[in-house]
Every structure is written in structure tokens, then in C-alpha cells.
Amino acid sequence: MKTNRDKKEYWASFVQRWSGVALALFLPFHFMVLSLILQGEQVLDGFLYWAEAPLIKLAEGGLVGLLAVHLLGGLRLLIIEFFAWKEWQGYLIAIAVTGAAAAGCLFLLRAF
Amino acid sequence: MEKNKNEKQVSVSIWRGDKEGSFEVFEVPFIEEQTVLDLLTHVQRNIDNSLSYRFACRVGMCGSCAMQINGKPRWTCRTLVSSVIRDGELKLEPLSNLPVVKDLVVDMEPFFEKWQAAKGRFEPSDSLVQEFAPIKPKDKIRQKADEAIECINCGCCYAACDVVESNPAYLGPAALNRAWSLINDVKDSANTERLKAVSGDGGCQNCHTNSQCVARCPVLINPTRSIAGLKKYVSLATLKGDI
Amino acid sequence: MSNRVEFKLWLAHRISGMALGFFVMVHLAGMIIAIQGGLSSSEILQRTSGNYAWGLFYSLFTIAAAVHSSIGLRTVAREVLGWKGVSANVVLSSFFLGLCFVGLSAVGGLVL
């Protein structure tokens, strides 16, 4: 592991990559759960009831946070790569982190 | 215990060998305003004359002396020992991401091969130019070229780049930055070929904006910005069907 | 030059990212609203059954997510695991097709 980690941009890329991997690995499960509807309402309801548990709701809040940070981080990259370079773009990382935390908290507030 | 300045020692750990080898520790007297290059000179002249390392101008304009100093690529001639020393210790290794020849000397050939592969050299027009391109200093396109043009190929950005480490095909920040400066040079005639050259398997799309290159460039160039510019130009050209 | 496939994959990744930027914002807002007071399959079906606009939106969302996550995982596989070439491409194409299949079946189940 390199010892030169002296820029927040490195951590932005790190979070972008690993939040993306987590979401990509979650996605098949998410689709499979929803496709339980094909087996009947009761089957999906069974899962949804299990997912009411506080720990699951907390995990879902975490996923929402990961999705939001990946989204906002992605928007940052699209701005950097497809528009002219502007110095204010440096603030986009802070915006991404704040926005993601807000989204996660908002979800948890509604869930509980 | 009383110590005067001249008795202060620096313990410097230096890589010996090629890709197989080990660190050898030398005790070197510490002098104020001493650069890492001074320290290496002392070791080579006074302690072990089999130590191999590169330098040339000694004044920060040739880029020959780049190496990993406590894990980060820097120029030895422009790095004060006092600014990088940690607990009286210093670690010197050859530049990352390049084959080691001996001790602190690396083979720069792959670096320059990628420079050429990115079409990092000026291509004049085929025919005699009838009118010279009037390039004013405030010209926006020229400013983009000027921002990227000071590169002296030291290799620090290449050594710092995580993608260069994880993807052997990646052309790297220096080569792509040079390509960007030429794409913005209206006198150059090879832009179509160059846009293709910077978007092959090792092209600009590999950059993840980690900006380690920006952090380490001693000449304060911003290769991340240049590469972002390349991505935009190549995307537009690709979508328009120009390349 | 292999027809610059790598660049085109990157471009597809970015374009799908732009689409997802929009889709995800709508999805997150929708989810935060929908989960208040719990979630049941009849509640979901009330919103989605026969709703072809919803079906179109989520079908496009599914495909964009499948494109984006497959290409993203492919890059991570190459850079982190050193896994590239035919085997990686086959596995990731299967991942893409699998996601499309399960995702679109779920959308179909909820709309039709």
C-alpha cells in the first residue's frame, strides 16, 4: 500500500469505488426480493415483515447512504469530466458527503 | 548529553540491489539546509562508492533525481532533509512503477515508450504553411496548452499514480498531460491520431481522478485536469463519429 | 487498436451514470415517501399495478443499473484482482444478463 495518500480526492475515489461494489453486489438480492411478487403477495409480504426489524432498517439506511454518496460522487465526476475545470469543483466532495449523510438520516427518520 | 549541531546524525535506509535486494542503513551527519541529494553524495563519496543514483543539474530543472523519499516521489535536489525526516530516519527507494536497474536507479524506458504511444510529440503539417497561426497569449486554447507545458518528464506523477500501478497498459499522467498540451497547440496537425492514441486500452478513460499526480508534481502541473479535458474531447469526437 | 472498445465501455458507463443520476434521485425520493408507516405488497401493488409509466421508468432504470454496475465491476476486477480477458468478460456479461432478467421480471410482476 502506497504511503502517498495526501489528497481528499484519493478518498473520494476510494469511497466511489467501494460504495459502487457494495451496491452492485446488493442489486441482485434487491431484484430477487422484488421478484418474490411473482410467487404471490404473501411471499413478498413475508419478506417485508422480516425487513421491519430495526437492524434491517438500519442496514437499509446504510444502503441509502451508500447510494446517495455514490450518486453525488458520480455527479462530481461527471461535472469534472464533461464541463470546463473550475476551482469550485473542489467543494463537490464535501457536498457529496453531507448530502449522503442527510439522505441516510432522512430515510431512517421515515423508517422509524 | 551535550550535542552540537554537527554531531547530529541522520539514519538513512537505502535500497540496494534491483527488484531483489534489501535496505542498507547509513549514518550520515546532519547539516542545516542539507538536501537529500547532499546526503546521497556524502554516502557515495565517503562511505560506499558502489551506491548508484541519478542526478544532473542539482537545481530543480532537469528532473533526473526523482525517487521515493519516505514513500513519496520527490526530487532529491529540492527536498530538504529537515522537511521529510521522521524521528531522525529517512527511507530512500527507487521511483515506483518502473523497473529497478540498480539501487536508486530505474529504467525510464517504459515511461518514454508510453509518452510516444500517447503521441506526445509535435507533428508539423505536411505541406508548407502559407500563413502562420497567430496565437495570442490570452487565447483560451493556448492557455490550456500553457498550463500543461512545463513538464520535464521527471516521472514523479507516474510513480504516484495508483492506476499505473494496477493497470500495466495505462499510459499515465505525464504522457496524457503532454498529449493534452499538444491537442491544444493549433500548429500541430496530428489531433485525430492523437485522440485515438489517448483512448486505446491504456487511455485517458483509466484515470479515476485520484489526483495523486497533482499532489506530487514538483512543477505544479495538474494532469488530472488535462486528462479530464482529454476525456471530454475524445467523448465528443467519438459521439460525432470523428474517430 | 481494438476499435477502442475500452473507451466505449467507459463512455457507456458514464452515460448510464447520467441516466442513473436522474433515476436514482426519483427512486430515493419515492422510497423515502413510500416507506413511511411501513411497507406491504398490497401498498406497493396499489402504486404499480397497471401503471405503465412506472413500468417504463423502472425498466429503463433496471437496464441502466445493469450496464453501469457490470462495467464498473469489470474495472474493479481488472485493477484490484488483476482479472481480465475472456473469463472476466464472460462472467460480467452473465452478471449483466442476470440482472436484466431478474430486474425486468420483477418490474413485470409488479406492473402486469
Side-chain angles (χ1 to χ4, degrees), chain A residues 16-18 20-21 23-25 27-38 40-42 44-45 48-49 52 57 60 64 67-68 70-72 75 77-78 81-82 103-104 106-112, chain C residues 10-11 14-15 17-18 20-22 24-25 27-28 31-42 44-45 61-62 65-66 68-69 73 75-76 79-80 95 98-100 102-106 108-110:
Chain A
Q16 192 68 12
R17 166 165 287 183
W18 296 109
V21 170
L23 291 163
L25 297 177
L27 218 49
F29 294 107
H30 190 48
F31 288 173
M32 284 197 279
V33 162
L34 289 168
S35 68
L36 289 176
I37 193 65
L38 295 166
E41 276 186 50
Q42 329 82 278
L44 182 56
D45 274 327
L48 290 171
Y49 179 73
E52 286 292 316
K57 283 285 166 269
E60 287 177 356
V64 167
L67 182 57
H70 192 82
L71 165 68
L72 293 168
L75 284 177
L77 286 176
L78 290 175
E81 292 173 350
F82 291 100
L106 196 59
F107 176 88
L108 289 172
L109 278 171
R110 301 283 269 180
F112 285 115
Chain C
W10 175 88
L11 196 54
R14 289 305 195 257
I15 293 175
M18 292 175 203
L20 285 169
F22 169 67
V24 168
M25 284 199 266
H27 182 59
L28 272 180
M31 287 309 113
I32 291 175
I33 295 170
I35 58 141
Q36 172 128 81
L39 196 59
S40 69
S41 51
S42 56
I44 300 177
L45 284 170
F61 189 0
T62 302
H68 193 79
S69 55
L73 284 177
T75 303
V76 177
E79 290 186 8
V80 176
F95 179 79
L99 270 185
C100 284
V102 183
L104 292 172
S105 323
L110 290 166

Side-chain angles (χ1 to χ4, degrees), chain C residues 58-79:
Chain C
Y58 275 92
S59 300
L60 292 172
F61 189 0
T62 302
I63 297 173
V67 168
H68 193 79
S69 55
S70 308
I71 300 177
L73 284 177
R74 182 176 176 273
T75 303
V76 177
R78 185 184 63 228
E79 290 186 8

